[in-house]
Amino acid sequence: MEVLYVMWLRQIKKYWRSRARMIGSLGQPLLFLIAFGFGFGSIYQKAEGGNFIQFLAPGIIAMSILFTAMFTGIELIWDRQFGFLKETLVAPVSRPLIMLGRTLGGATVSVFQGVVVLLVSLLVGFKIGNPALLPLALLFMFLIALLFTAFGTAIASRMDDMQAFPLVMNFIIMPIFFFSGALFPLEGLSGPIEVITNFNPLSYGVDGLRGALGGVYHFGLFADLAVLVLTTTFLFAAGSYLFSKIEI
Amino acid sequence: MKDAIITIKGLTKNFNGFTAVNDISFEVKGGHIFAFLGPNGAGKTTTIKMLTTLLNPSKGDIVLNGIDPTKDKDKARRSFGIVFQDPSLDDELTAYENMEFHGAIYKVPKRLREDRIAYLMNLVGLFERRNDRIKTFSGGMKRRLEIARGLIHHPKILFLDEPTLGLDPQTRNSIWDYIKKLNMEEGMTVFFTTHYMEEAEKVADTIAIIDKGIILKTGTAEELKGLTKTKSLEEAFLKLTGYSIREERSGAVDNLRTAKRIWGR
Ligand SMILES: Nc1ncnc2c1ncn2[C@@H]1O[C@H](COP(=O)(O)OP(=O)(O)O)[C@@H](O)[C@H]1O
Ligand SMILES: [Mg+2]
């Protein structure tokens, strides 16, 4: 238990100590909220979609969790480059436990970031539908965070340095975000884009968050939970396996 | 007569075509201090990495404290501690936090951990700096802390890969005194590499000399000197390994970097 705790604590400390990063990573969600929220607001209203901020905010919260989680997962590469990874690799601790410590740490940090974005979106006019469902919203945030921290760690286990990072950013993280329903409704999509969004785990995270905060689900609460839990479990197992295969 | 705690048979490591460790076999007796000597690029670090589960051997067998570290990795990891040749501290954490992290993942009970950390940090003269982040430390300070960290959990086998490189004689002495104390009192086996021949001569029970991935000789310092008809271990070492200066190949990571640069992004 203490092993898990110190691994978790290390992630939290590292995050807390890089305030610049914390504040910096708030810039993007804020920009999206304001530019898209107010920019598309009137078109969206004319199309009888209602208040666009109300629609957009859960998507942007999910986005900031996605980014933070993937980054903290991929931070494994820094550990490799600065040498600290060796200390973890020879530790008499099972690989799934190491993976769990890292993932929980990264997920906590990401949920924190998500909560901050939620608070910010309240400032620009977002309203929570039913405050009693807030714990459910937090659960969805946590699931999104776990899923993508595990995913980031799995990817990082196969990377030697940061050189491939732009590739990951442009061909994995960005598409996951854009094809998730964070920015547009999934209703009435068809063809390839419908298939892609249906296969994207973030779609279910966004949907769950939107449902919990606003009351309307596209896939349904249980479908959202099931897809997120199953995908997280799978990525966690894959990550532990890849982690155990690292040679230095 | 002591039993072997490390047995290596026909151990080999190839890095895409290049043989870094070539069919080596030897034993280390339990409770011994064993020096593994060789010029740069001889294969010392690669051997230690195979013994400590960081690299999978291409061929050969290892038995470490009765365990096969290539199969039973977690169990093997419980038997040893290691001070790596390359940096391995977390720069963002403080000195104390690095020590604490180690003590916790090696499950040293809290009270004992605090005592040992305080003792060891004093031993290497870093207790006053315990709350400073590693990124403010000099190379020598980091090295001292890494050695102190490797000693927190009193492992059964301690691997030290060029532990004292760049440290002043005072520090080297106090660190070796403490390691010898653990060796005497707790029967801790020590497997170390060094380029300081006097150090090896002074502390090692047994010495193996490796060059170009092959073990040239094993024995006590006296035996090696007798064998080569020399008066010091340094002379014996030079006589065995020759006088030419070694070119080191670049490691895998460098190769990958070059490959990436060529392929572009
Ligand atoms: N990952 C690697 N990929 C390719 N070559 C390597 C790798 N690691 C070590 N080598 C090479 O293997 C040889 C032995 O290295 P090493 O074990 O580090 O030597 P030593 O520790 O005795 O100085 C060197 O020529 C080194 O360049
Ligand atoms: Mg070496």
Side-chain angles (χ1 to χ4, degrees):
Chain A
M1 254 347 259
E2 204 201 350
V3 174
L4 209 56
Y5 172 71
V6 290
M7 307 210 66
W8 175 84
L9 190 64
R10 171 173 176 258
Q11 304 273 101
I12 310 295
K13 279 182 177 160
K14 282 172 86 86
Y15 174 76
W16 197 247
R17 282 173 193 172
S18 55
R19 303 257 161 77
R21 196 181 97 186
M22 248 164 85
I23 294 163
S25 53
L26 278 180
Q28 194 178 17
L30 196 61
L31 201 65
F32 271 80
L33 264 179
I34 293 174
F36 283 138
F38 294 112
F40 284 125
S42 63
I43 305 181
Y44 190 76
Q45 221 146 23
K46 277 188 203 125
E48 282 163 35
N51 183 344
F52 192 52
I53 294 268
Q54 207 57 27
F55 173 83
L56 185 67
I60 300 302
I61 295 168
M63 173 193 86
S64 69
I65 297 175
L66 164 74
F67 280 40
T68 317
M70 285 295 270
F71 288 158
T72 41
I74 286 175
E75 258 176 0
L76 181 67
I77 296 170
W78 291 126
D79 281 0
R80 184 196 282 257
Q81 286 200 324
F82 290 112
F84 186 77
L85 185 61
K86 292 191 289 284
E87 161 85 353
T88 343
L89 288 180
V90 295
V93 177
S94 76
R95 304 299 106 159
L97 197 63
I98 294 183
M99 181 73 187
L100 190 61
R102 282 197 76 91
T103 326
L104 286 177
T108 309
V109 163
S110 315
V111 170
F112 179 79
Q113 192 83 23
V115 169
V116 175
V117 174
L118 172 62
L119 296 177
V120 170
S121 53
L122 292 177
L123 289 181
V124 297
F126 178 66
K127 298 214 165 42
I128 294 173
N130 180 359
L133 287 179
L134 221 45
L136 184 63
L138 278 175
L139 174 67
F140 273 112
M141 288 191 195
F142 191 63
L143 284 173
I144 301 172
L146 275 181
L147 193 158
F148 289 105
T149 314
F151 191 28
T153 313
I155 293 174
S157 303
R158 303 287 298 167
M159 283 165 62
D160 281 311
D161 53 37
M162 276 292 179
Q163 300 245 14
F165 185 69
L167 232 66
V168 174
M169 186 71 199
N170 292 324
F171 290 98
I172 299 179
I173 305 183
M174 283 309 195
I176 288 179
F177 167 53
F178 281 111
F179 295 110
S180 70
L183 297 177
F184 50 79
L186 297 176
E187 274 77 26
L189 293 182
S190 61
I193 193 151
E194 188 191 7
V195 176
I196 295 173
T197 48
N198 282 349
F199 271 99
N200 181 353
L202 187 63
S203 303
Y204 299 84
V206 171
D207 188 48
L209 209 48
R210 201 167 273 152
L213 291 171
V216 197
Y217 293 96
H218 172 70
F219 299 110
L221 171 62
F222 291 103
D224 290 340
L225 282 176
V227 169
L228 290 176
V229 169
L230 287 178
T231 317
T232 306
T233 313
F234 168 75
L235 287 173
F236 183 83
S240 304
Y241 174 76
L242 293 174
F243 191 83
S244 75
K245 291 287 157 204
I246 295 180
E247 286 189 76
I248 277 198
Chain B
M1 192 60 212
K2 288 169 180 163
D3 289 331
I5 194 162
I6 303 174
T7 312
I8 297 175
K9 278 207 195 88
L11 191 63
T12 302
K13 182 70 192 178
N14 301 311
F15 292 115
N16 35 57
F18 171 77
T19 308
V21 173
N22 192 355
D23 193 17
I24 64 171
S25 304
F26 60 86
E27 281 186 0
V28 179
K29 299 250 181 281
H32 266 203
I33 298 185
F34 179 86
F36 197 40
L37 308 180
N40 287 333
K44 304 180 297 293
T45 299
T46 306
T47 304
I48 291 184
K49 283 182 177 174
M50 289 190 281
L51 293 173
T52 55
T53 74
L54 288 174
L55 270 181
N56 291 319
S58 307
K59 259 209 303 274
D61 297 306
I62 306 171
V63 183
L64 189 116
N65 195 24
I67 303 154
D68 179 348
T70 59
K71 298 214 174 68
D72 230 338
K73 295 192 171 164
D74 277 338
K75 224 167 145 197
R77 286 175 186 131
R78 261 174 248 139
S79 316
F80 66 80
I82 174 166
V83 175
F84 303 98
Q85 182 180 341
D86 308 322
S88 61
L89 296 167
D90 188 334
D91 271 19
E92 293 294 328
L93 298 182
T94 67
Y96 198 88
E97 284 166 346
N98 268 284
M99 298 290 272
E100 172 81 13
F101 184 89
H102 185 95
I105 58 175
Y106 282 85
K107 303 190 177 73
V108 181
K110 192 125 187 129
R111 276 306 309 273
L112 184 63
R113 186 194 311 166
E114 283 165 8
D115 291 348
R116 280 192 191 159
I117 291 177
Y119 181 85
L120 286 164
M121 290 189 90
N122 273 311
L123 183 79
V124 296
L126 288 173
F127 192 69
E128 305 301 313
R129 299 289 305 268
R130 63 189 177 281
N131 293 325
D132 291 348
R133 290 205 218 166
I134 300 301
K135 60 181 173 195
T136 67
F137 278 22
S138 70
M141 290 162 76
K142 289 183 191 172
R143 198 64 191 143
R144 270 141 59 199
L145 190 71
E146 281 171 338
I147 298 174
R149 182 180 67 178
L151 294 167
I152 298 175
H153 67 289
H154 289 195
K156 190 140 190 202
I157 306 169
L158 178 66
F159 291 95
L160 301 158
D161 200 353
E162 299 188 25
T164 51
L165 193 70
L167 298 184
D168 59 40
Q170 288 85 342
T171 314
R172 270 156 59 186
N173 279 337
S174 65
I175 288 172
W176 272 117
D177 284 346
Y178 187 69
I179 292 175
K180 275 191 290 190
K181 190 174 136 214
L182 288 183
N183 167 257
M184 301 281 279
E185 289 175 1
E186 307 198 1
M188 177 178 79
T189 306
V190 181
F191 184 119
F192 78 107
T193 75
T194 185
H195 289 303
Y196 301 110
M197 293 300 141
E198 353 60 82
E199 191 169 275
E201 193 162 3
K202 212 159 70 186
V203 303
D205 299 307
T206 326
I207 295 169
I209 295 183
I210 181 173
D211 192 14
K212 304 194 177 93
I214 294 168
I215 303 275
L216 299 177
K217 284 281 177 297
T218 45
T220 62
E222 289 312 314
E223 284 167 358
L224 293 176
K225 284 187 280 186
L227 220 62
T228 50
K229 303 192 179 61
T230 48
K231 284 199 282 303
S232 71
L233 185 62
E234 177 143 354
E235 286 172 49
F237 179 82
L238 287 170
K239 201 151 177 180
L240 285 167
T241 57
Y243 289 84
S244 65
I245 291 172
R246 308 308 154 112
E247 290 286 346
E248 271 190 274
R249 295 170 82 255
S250 57
V253 177
D254 297 322
N255 290 341
L256 270 171
R257 284 205 190 104
T258 327
K260 284 217 179 88
R261 226 167 280 137
I262 295 165
W263 284 86
R265 261 193 275 137

